[in-house]
Amino acid sequence: MKYLIRFLCLLLAAAPSLAGADPAPHIAALLQAQGLAGAVWSTPGGVGAAGLSAVRRGARMRTDQRVHVGSVAKTVLATGILRLVSERRLTLDTPVAALLPGMAFDNPWADRDPVRVRHLIDHTAGLDDVRFWHVFTLQAGPDVPLAAAFPAGHGLLRVRSKPGMRFSYSNLGYTLLGMVIETVTRQRYERYLDTALLAPLGMHDSTFAFVTQARDARLAMGHFERGAPHPAVPSFVRPAGQFTTTAADMGRFAQFLMSDGRIDGRPFIDAALLRRMGEPTTTEARHAGLAVGYGLGLRRIDRHGVVALCHAGNGIGFRANLCLLPATRQAVFVAVNMDSETADYQRLDELLLRELAAAAPAPSCTAMGGSPAPGAWAGIYVPAPNRFHSLRLLDTLLDAVHVSGSGPLLRLRSPQAATLELRHAGGALWQAPGKLLPSHVLLRSTGGRRVLGTGTQSWEQVSLPYWLALWCSVVAGLTGLLYVLAATAGRAWRRQLSFATPLLAPCAGVLALLLPLPLLLRQSLLQLGDMTAATILLAPVTAALPVTVLAGLAMAWRTGGSTRAEVAAMIAVLQVSALLAAWGLLPLRLWV
């Protein structure tokens, strides 16, 4: 997705040349080179299309083709909320609990900082994003009540950071916004937005209703790798990503967002609200001076010498992006009807740099102010909060950032990214190479903890021994698991294996983890969060692992029939099982 955002930035930077040039041949060549199906787009030069709308039928993509845009729907829905605010039927500071009394937030800061409407729009409510069953499911229906996304007892309304303080992307937050619209308007959010927002904007080819390829011949087919088609499926969190549109309609929408908020000379949405889209307001990073971030449905990004307001989206077989340049009233929308993890979008960027006369390189960063002694901030920082609460152990291990530095330079190292050197940009702000604006901030939270922020992610410092202990636990557990298998195989080779062998039970527990694999390979990826034979089997086999290890240790204690290395391996597997259980990953229940 980051490469698609870069693609949009380059189109924006090249907007003057696009007005007199047709990008279709270039984009068509890129689609073919990267094995992508097709694309539709809207630029200052007009709308265009290239590639195929349905790979297996060989149908060409047309400029009036309808597409799904995933989370770009959030920008449109947020605009609908701003319409209600402009009509004074709602305020951005209204507590959500007053509108949705059936939604009981678990908010430790509720007395002074309740979750407000603006927090949901800005992704600063501190809520979890989604669980597996929200997205990877074939059980949702197009008419399922929005409250079905929040079953009791699942902890989905737990607030993990003080509302307004930190950004944490949440599809659940936008599902709640759909419920807010339904409460205020007393009708389904889809109908209200279609009639009260899209129709006045002239977006007659767009809808929030559920649209399938089987019922609409103009809707392009979604695809995955190697052109595998996949039709649209309903979602439990549909306000966050269910939207069907065309490139022309998105061009109209973008122009309205950059206007004075009037339609036919009459006020429709307060112009001041439109100007604040993309402006973070309440976060600690914004208070520290960081200008990039998210606000009212758009994200301000700083890429390739362009500062733009964007929103990207992924859907079933689609990728899309919308970017605005309000200063010049230019906008770009692109939707690709293939969600591919193997396509090299960077080559797309390189071709656009050559063919579309992209803007000149960004100016070099200049340090301002005195050195803030970055050495004092050295240490390990982990996501706080992370996006998916159920995956917080993996994020703690793999998305941690090691901070070090001296003088005016700050170095950030991560297991998943190249080392990044930041230069001091004054006060608490730091600037990455090639950026027009400061990109990072170092600050202390209200609790006194050191925090690293980018406007759309925060990391808190943790002790190095704690972080290393987590890594050692996982590595020791995996090593122990492999040793159990190898030692059992060795005993079998030497014909020293019997029912009295202590390793036999742990080995059986490890091998049992493979039992769900054939069933998982037979079912659709979109059933990963459903209660199927495969996912149900995952729960008992993962729960049985520590039980079999305990049985092996008990037998080894009674009979003395194991070596010290074998006992150590079983203990290693047992301790990592305890770690996984403590972080909610054992037993593995994907439908919870």
Side-chain angles (χ1 to χ4, degrees), residues 35 77 86 167 367 381 556:
L77 187 142
S86 299
F167 176 96
Y381 293 72

Side-chain angles (χ1 to χ4, degrees), residues 423-499:
R423 186 170 294 275
H424 188 222
L429 302 178
W430 297 79
Q431 200 157 353
K435 299 295 185 182
L436 298 174
L437 301 173
S439 55
H440 292 70
V441 62
L442 290 177
L443 50 86
R444 286 187 181 273
S445 69
T446 53
R449 295 187 177 183
R450 290 188 172 99
V451 177
L452 168 69
T454 63
T456 53
Q457 180 60 62
S458 298
W459 294 263
E460 279 190 359
Q461 187 178 27
V462 296
S463 70
L464 180 60
Y466 166 79
W467 189 71
L468 290 177
L470 291 178
W471 263 110
C472 289
S473 173
V474 172
V475 171
L478 292 175
T479 303
L481 187 147
L482 294 174
Y483 189 88
V484 166
L485 292 175
T488 306
R491 282 181 174 267
W493 177 262
R494 297 190 301 270
R495 298 185 178 181
Q496 296 176 351
L497 192 64
S498 69
F499 286 108

Side-chain angles (χ1 to χ4, degrees), residues 74-137:
K74 292 182 175 68
T75 304
V76 191
L77 187 142
T79 306
I81 292 287
L82 298 186
R83 169 62 176 160
L84 291 173
V85 173
S86 299
E87 292 182 299
R88 290 181 167 77
R89 301 173 70 182
L90 186 66
T91 74
L92 293 176
D93 290 321
T94 302
V96 179
L99 298 167
L100 305 176
M103 297 289 105
F105 290 95
D106 180 9
N107 180 11
W109 303 272
D111 290 343
R112 298 185 61 183
D113 295 287
V115 174
R116 303 180 188 277
V117 171
R118 73 166 66 247
H119 300 148
L120 297 181
I121 302 180
D122 292 351
H123 296 292
T124 58
L127 296 174
D128 195 1
D129 188 353
V130 288
R131 304 286 171 85
F132 274 98
W133 64 269
H134 282 117
V135 178
F136 298 101
T137 180

Side-chain angles (χ1 to χ4, degrees), residues 329-343:
R329 290 182 61 85
Q330 294 172 331
V332 175
F333 167 76
V334 172
V336 180
N337 65 327
M338 179 177 284
D339 187 4
S340 172
E341 297 300 326
T342 59

Side-chain angles (χ1 to χ4, degrees), residues 141-177:
D143 299 316
V144 65
L146 298 183
F150 302 92
H154 286 237
L156 293 169
L157 294 174
R158 189 167 72 86
V159 178
R160 300 171 298 162
S161 58
K162 188 172 77 170
M165 184 175 72
R166 293 179 185 173
F167 176 96
S168 185
Y169 195 88
S170 176
N171 284 286
L172 293 179
Y174 268 73
T175 304
L176 290 170
L177 284 175

